[in-house]
């Protein structure tokens, strides 16, 4: 009885708790299923392409859970108000969970799951937008724009999977959704990494130049806009590649201003800086892929496993400590997990390039699973239990 009460009291008090736990469990389960499908132990869904199925789950399952957990937690601090808690949080999380069953090949179940998955986005916007567009929150309105773009790409992806619009568009719009996730990272990293560095590293002096921040924000939206049109205007790929190089150059200068090298002795901060570097590297190689000089799959996995996976891993491990009143220091177990997720990214990108694709998929997947299994092991009680101070 007490366990049930504690579960209800603590898990649903803040969005990072269920969604970070859900993202971690999903990271383990979805990649395990992906490996079993790749090595023919499990039959894949027949109505959606294999790559689309995997990509959809990693974007709208794993990444979105982490985004929702962070946004509602951060927005509560930004607005000094409670946006979601208990029943509303349980409902939002339940919609996300229901959205993970669309692969069941029973039309009624599949359609209901897709509808739940999309309603998760609508509910998130319904709860976030009013608070973030009000007076005094002008600098946070871009978050609403970002999530609207993400939700729109999600809706179009679902319509494509269901063949309401051409199914050939499915993977394209999943890719646009990946770029939308990168916008979140670009926006959030610019706010937190200079601050985290200044707090955690004595003698550091990270800088934020507002003009660079503004160009980064507009540039990220322009990047997504250009990529959205390439499905219909493939002749513009060379120009898109050149824009990617330009945007990456801006980001490397921005990242340099944050003094990332000073985080080398602080693993919980270093993983975030490294992940942002993978984002920059991914944009560069994605630009090369437009010029036919680099495999597009490898470029995407620099962005997904390296940048998105690494950044989410770092944020889960940091935010969960800070928002439960604990010291923000990575344990030896989690520090080991950081190296495993970096190795997962390196193996997934390099092995296929050198002709060892199947081995690379397997090793990378196992490393990914182990890294998030460590998060579940280390953070289970943290996410389900009370704060260690007197705050809620």
């Amino acid at each position: 009885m007490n366990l049930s009460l504690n579960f209800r009291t603590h898990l649903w008090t803040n969005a990072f708790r269920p969604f970070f736990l859900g993202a971690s469990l999903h990271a383990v389960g979805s990649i395990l299923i992906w490996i079993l499908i790749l090595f023919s132990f499990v039959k894949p869904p027949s109505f959606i392409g294999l790559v689309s199925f995997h990509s959809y789950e990693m974007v709208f399952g794993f990444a979105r859970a982490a985004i929702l957990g962070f946004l509602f937690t951060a927005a509560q601090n930004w607005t000094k108000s409670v946006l979601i808690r208990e029943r509303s949080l349980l409902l939002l999380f339940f919609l996300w969970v229901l959205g993970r069953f669309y692969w069941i090949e029973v039309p009624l179940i599949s359609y209901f799951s897709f509808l739940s998955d999309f309603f998760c986005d609508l509910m998130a916007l319904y709860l976030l937008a009013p608070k973030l567009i009000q007076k005094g929150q002008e600098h946070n309105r871009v978050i609403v724009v970002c999530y609207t773009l993400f939700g729109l790409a999600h809706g179009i992806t679902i319509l494509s999977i269901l063949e309401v619009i051409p199914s050939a568009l499915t993977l394209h719009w999943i890719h646009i959704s990946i770029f939308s996730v990168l916008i979140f990272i670009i926006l959030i990293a610019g706010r937190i990494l200079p601050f985290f560095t200044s707090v955690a590293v004595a003698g550091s002096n990270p800088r934020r130049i507002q003009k660079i921040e503004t160009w980064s924000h507009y540039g990220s939206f322009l990047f997504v806009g250009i990529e959205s049109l390439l499905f219909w205007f493939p002749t513009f790929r060379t120009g898109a590649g050149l824009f990617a190089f330009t945007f990456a150059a801006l980001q490397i200068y921005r990242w340099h201003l944050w003094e990332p090298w000073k985080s080398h002795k602080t693993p919980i901060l270093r993983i975030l800086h490294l992940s942002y570097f993978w984002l920059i590297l991914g944009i560069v190689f994605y630009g090369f892929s437009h010029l036919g000089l680099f495999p597009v799959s490898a470029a995407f996995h620099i962005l997904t496993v390296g940048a998105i996976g690494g950044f989410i891993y770092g944020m889960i491990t940091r935010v969960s400590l800070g928002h439960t009143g604990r010291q923000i220091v990575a344990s030896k177990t989690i520090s080991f997990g950081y190296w495993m997720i970096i190795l997962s990214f390196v193996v997934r990108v390099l092995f296929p390039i050198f002709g060892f694709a199947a081995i690379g998929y397997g090793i990378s997947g196992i490393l990914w699973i182990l890294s998030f299994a460590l998060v579940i092991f280390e953070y289970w009680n943290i996410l389900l239990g009370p704060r260690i101070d007197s705050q809620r």
Side-chain angles (χ1 to χ4, degrees):
M1 184 69 177
N2 287 337
L3 286 177
S4 175
L5 181 61
N6 286 339
F7 175 82
R8 184 183 66 190
T9 302
H10 303 302
L11 183 63
W12 308 108
T13 56
N14 209 314
F16 75 89
R17 293 174 176 272
F19 278 112
F20 284 0
L21 188 58
S24 300
L25 290 168
H26 184 280
V28 171
S30 59
I31 295 301
L32 177 59
I33 291 171
W34 175 240
I35 291 175
L36 293 175
I37 289 174
L38 283 179
F39 291 95
S40 302
F41 291 105
V42 173
K43 184 181 177 182
S46 61
F47 68 94
I48 181 174
L50 188 58
V51 175
S52 296
F53 170 65
H54 168 59
S55 303
Y56 184 95
E57 274 307 301
M58 297 314 294
V59 176
F60 302 114
F62 167 69
R64 183 175 51 157
I67 289 171
L68 289 172
F70 174 79
L71 284 185
F72 277 102
T73 302
Q76 184 165 301
N77 291 335
W78 296 337
T79 62
K80 307 299 180 185
S81 61
V82 176
L83 278 71
I84 191 170
R85 178 174 284 180
E86 297 173 348
R87 292 181 182 178
S88 58
L89 178 53
L90 175 61
L91 177 57
L92 185 68
F93 184 75
F94 190 55
L95 288 172
W96 175 80
V97 171
L98 287 176
R100 312 278 59 79
F101 294 96
Y102 63 90
W103 50 269
I104 297 176
E105 296 185 21
V106 176
L108 184 61
I109 295 176
S110 184
Y111 294 157
F112 180 75
S113 181
F114 275 128
L115 189 64
S116 298
D117 215 25
F118 186 63
F119 264 93
C120 179
D121 289 334
L122 294 181
M123 182 177 177
L125 278 171
Y126 173 78
L127 294 172
L128 278 172
K131 293 290 187 179
L132 296 185
I133 63 174
Q134 65 185 0
K135 186 176 180 181
Q137 293 293 321
E138 288 80 6
H139 60 297
N140 286 323
R141 290 172 184 171
V142 65
I143 300 296
V144 178
V145 175
C146 287
Y147 204 94
T148 301
L149 175 63
F150 180 77
L152 179 63
H154 185 195
I156 296 174
T157 300
I158 292 172
L159 293 176
S160 182
I161 293 171
L162 297 177
E163 298 185 338
V164 176
I165 61 177
S167 59
L169 287 166
T170 299
L171 198 55
H172 172 70
W173 283 103
I174 292 175
H175 288 166
I176 299 306
S177 303
I178 291 172
F179 296 138
S180 300
V181 174
L182 295 179
I183 294 180
F184 279 114
I185 294 178
I186 289 168
L187 290 172
I188 299 303
R191 297 185 180 195
I192 65 172
L193 286 187
F195 172 70
F196 287 173
T197 303
S198 66
V199 170
V201 183
S204 63
N205 185 32
R207 291 178 292 153
R208 290 179 79 251
I209 298 176
Q210 189 54 49
K211 186 173 289 187
I212 299 297
E213 295 301 304
T214 301
W215 289 348
S216 294
H217 297 173
Y218 285 122
S220 61
F221 284 108
L222 182 57
F223 178 81
V224 173
I226 292 171
E227 293 300 324
S228 299
L229 296 173
L230 287 184
F231 184 86
W232 297 276
F233 302 100
T235 55
F236 294 158
R237 289 195 180 278
T238 299
L242 295 176
F243 179 79
F245 298 147
T246 303
F247 186 60
L250 176 66
Q251 293 312 300
I252 199 71
Y253 176 65
R254 183 186 188 223
W255 182 66
H256 177 267
L257 292 172
W258 302 338
E259 300 184 341
W261 60 90
K262 293 185 177 179
S263 68
H264 71 284
K265 292 183 179 180
T266 313
I268 204 166
L269 175 61
R270 182 180 62 213
I271 186 64
L272 296 173
H273 278 297
L274 275 175
S275 299
Y276 202 84
F277 177 72
W278 305 142
L279 183 150
I280 298 167
L281 195 69
I283 292 172
V284 170
F285 281 103
Y286 186 70
F288 279 125
S289 75
H290 279 322
L291 304 180
L293 301 175
F294 193 77
V296 66
S297 177
F300 265 113
H301 282 87
I302 296 173
L303 293 170
T304 52
V305 182
I308 296 175
F311 200 85
I312 286 174
Y313 198 93
M315 290 301 291
I316 287 176
T317 56
R318 183 187 179 90
V319 171
S320 299
L321 294 176
H323 283 270
T324 56
R326 290 168 168 82
Q327 187 178 7
I328 304 175
V329 177
S331 67
K332 290 182 179 179
T333 301
I334 292 300
S335 295
F336 180 65
Y338 294 150
W339 287 114
M340 283 202 294
I341 201 163
I342 291 171
L343 283 174
S344 174
F345 142 66
V346 171
V347 169
R348 178 55 187 84
V349 172
L350 293 184
F351 273 47
I353 290 176
F354 290 103
F356 302 100
I359 296 173
Y361 299 156
I363 294 175
S364 176
I366 290 169
L367 289 168
W368 174 279
I369 289 169
L370 289 175
S371 65
F372 277 96
L374 292 179
V375 170
I376 295 168
F377 174 77
E378 284 274 305
Y379 283 78
W380 183 270
N381 289 332
I382 292 173
L383 292 171
L384 267 63
R387 290 180 63 106
I388 62 173
D389 55 22
S390 59
Q391 300 180 41
R392 275 181 66 85

